[in-house]
């Protein structure tokens, strides 16, 4: 595929975000001829299934304040069951009902997403920094673009989620926002849209009216906005922008036509902060 006007859409797993509005919107977008790759999470379903199976779902907070899911072997099983067994079938069915020819894949299928396993990571527990050694997660290092190109060339819409393959061939978890960023970079996508359960990036997390039209993220270090999982989204946005994705938008996934609204300007545009000589702005 030579056209690179691909849009990568990450839809969150928050309980208030439903597939119906997204599916109707993507039906119009794909009918216009724009190639789309969908990446999804599923935090609400993961939490519910964890409760049903009596598997605690915990998070790790890094020293920079950005948090992520702690994935021990039991949690990895819950994540896999929730995403591949509930969230994606529901989303793919909604897309098909709206006329979108969707195909669901985990990062394992066809070796779609490969990652470097995190052997150790630093976390803050009870105010102390500790080293965590049993987290079954990884950072994506390779995307099987040939597989995605094949699906897009056939007029299909890939719908992708974790788990992914580690270098030892075992499944590991990966953050879905950063997976979306990795896919956008590898596919040389024009736009990455991160849909969430907020109107955009908020200057004040307690004020839903404080939506930023532009959110600058530093080239290194933690973003200023980190509450409610926004830290990892902005980290993913930075990774995409730094590697050449033209536009990253953070937008409300709870509204009608969420992607079309985002592309029309109802979103926070993420930008890399510029570095001046000497490393200061």
């Amino acid at each position: 595929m030579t056209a690179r006007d691909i849009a990568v859409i990450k839809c969150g797993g928050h309980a208030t975000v439903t597939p119906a509005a997204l599916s109707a919107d993507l039906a119009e977008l794909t009918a216009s001829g724009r190639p789309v790759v969908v990446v999804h999470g599923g935090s609400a379903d993961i939490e519910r299934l964890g409760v049903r199976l009596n598997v605690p779902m915990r998070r790790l907070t890094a020293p920079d304040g950005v948090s992520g899911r702690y994935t021990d072997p039991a949690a990895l099983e819950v994540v896999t069951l929730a995403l591949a067994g509930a969230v994606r079938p529901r989303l793919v069915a909604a897309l098909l009902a709206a006329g979108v020819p969707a195909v669901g894949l985990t990062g394992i299928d066809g070796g779609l997403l490969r990652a470097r396993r995190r052997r150790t990571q630093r976390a803050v527990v009870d105010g102390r920094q500790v080293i965590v050694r049993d987290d079954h997660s990884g950072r994506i290092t390779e995307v099987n673009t040939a597989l995605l190109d094949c699906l897009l060339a056939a007029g299909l819409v890939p719908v992708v989620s974790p788990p992914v393959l580690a270098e030892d061939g075992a499944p590991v978890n990966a953050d879905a926002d950063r997976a979306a960023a990795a896919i956008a970079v590898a596919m040389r996508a024009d736009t990455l849209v991160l849909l969430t359960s907020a109107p955009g990036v908020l200057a004040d997390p307690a004020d839903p009216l404080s939506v930023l039209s532009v959110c600058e993220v530093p080239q290194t270090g933690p973003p200023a906005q980190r509450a409610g999982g926004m830290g990892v989204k902005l980290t993913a946005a930075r990774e995409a922008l730094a590697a050449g994705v033209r536009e990253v938008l953070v937008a409300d996934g709870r509204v009608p036509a969420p992607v079309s609204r985002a592309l029309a300007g109802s979103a926070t545009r993420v930008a890399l902060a510029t570095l001046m000589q000497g490393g200061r702005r």
Side-chain angles (χ1 to χ4, degrees):
M1 178 172 294
T2 57
R4 290 290 116 178
D5 59 342
I6 295 169
V8 176
I9 313 299
K10 159 57 172 55
C11 53
H14 195 276
T16 59
V17 179
T18 61
L22 174 65
S23 299
D25 198 18
L26 290 184
E28 293 194 14
L29 191 64
T30 54
S32 72
R34 187 165 191 182
V36 172
V37 178
V38 178
V39 181
H40 72 85
S43 56
D45 285 83
I46 290 169
E47 297 295 331
R48 280 196 296 267
L49 185 58
V51 170
R52 286 175 55 191
L53 299 179
N54 197 29
V55 176
M57 293 291 109
R58 293 171 284 175
R59 300 188 71 80
L60 292 175
T61 300
D64 64 6
V66 177
S67 68
R69 186 176 300 283
Y70 168 63
T71 314
D72 62 11
L76 178 60
E77 186 174 2
V78 171
V79 167
T80 303
L81 289 170
L83 296 182
V87 181
R88 189 167 58 259
R90 186 167 64 235
L91 178 56
V92 169
L95 287 165
L96 290 171
V100 179
V103 176
L105 302 160
T106 69
I108 295 173
D109 295 311
L112 177 57
L113 299 175
R114 296 182 182 272
R116 181 180 299 110
R117 183 188 294 273
R118 289 191 177 96
R119 300 295 178 184
T120 63
Q121 59 181 305
R122 294 183 182 275
V124 178
V125 178
D126 297 329
R128 296 186 304 109
Q129 284 196 31
V130 299
I131 302 296
V132 179
R133 302 181 186 277
D134 62 344
D135 184 40
H136 291 258
S137 65
R139 182 169 180 177
I140 293 169
T141 57
E142 184 181 341
V143 178
N144 185 346
T145 56
L147 175 55
L148 293 177
D149 277 339
C150 181
L151 294 172
L152 291 174
L156 301 171
V157 174
V159 180
V160 181
S161 79
V164 304
L165 278 177
E167 64 272 25
D168 58 5
V172 293
N173 191 20
D175 177 79
D177 290 301
R178 298 179 82 170
I183 289 172
V185 169
M187 296 296 290
R188 293 182 285 122
D190 187 60
T191 304
L192 169 62
V193 180
L194 303 174
L195 296 177
T196 185
S197 57
V201 182
L202 304 178
D204 178 359
D207 180 7
L209 299 180
S210 65
V211 183
L212 298 172
S213 58
V214 177
C215 176
E216 284 196 345
V217 293
Q219 305 239 356
T220 59
Q225 291 79 17
R226 299 193 290 272
M230 191 57 69
V232 72
K233 292 185 185 302
L234 293 179
T235 299
R238 174 172 60 201
E239 292 168 352
L241 291 167
V245 176
R246 182 184 66 84
E247 180 180 53
V248 179
L249 305 171
V250 179
D252 199 335
R254 305 166 298 178
V255 298
V259 178
S260 296
R261 286 179 182 235
L263 295 175
S266 294
T268 298
R269 181 175 63 84
V270 184
L272 286 176
T274 55
L275 286 176
M276 304 298 285
Q277 189 173 7
R280 294 179 296 177
R281 293 190 65 193

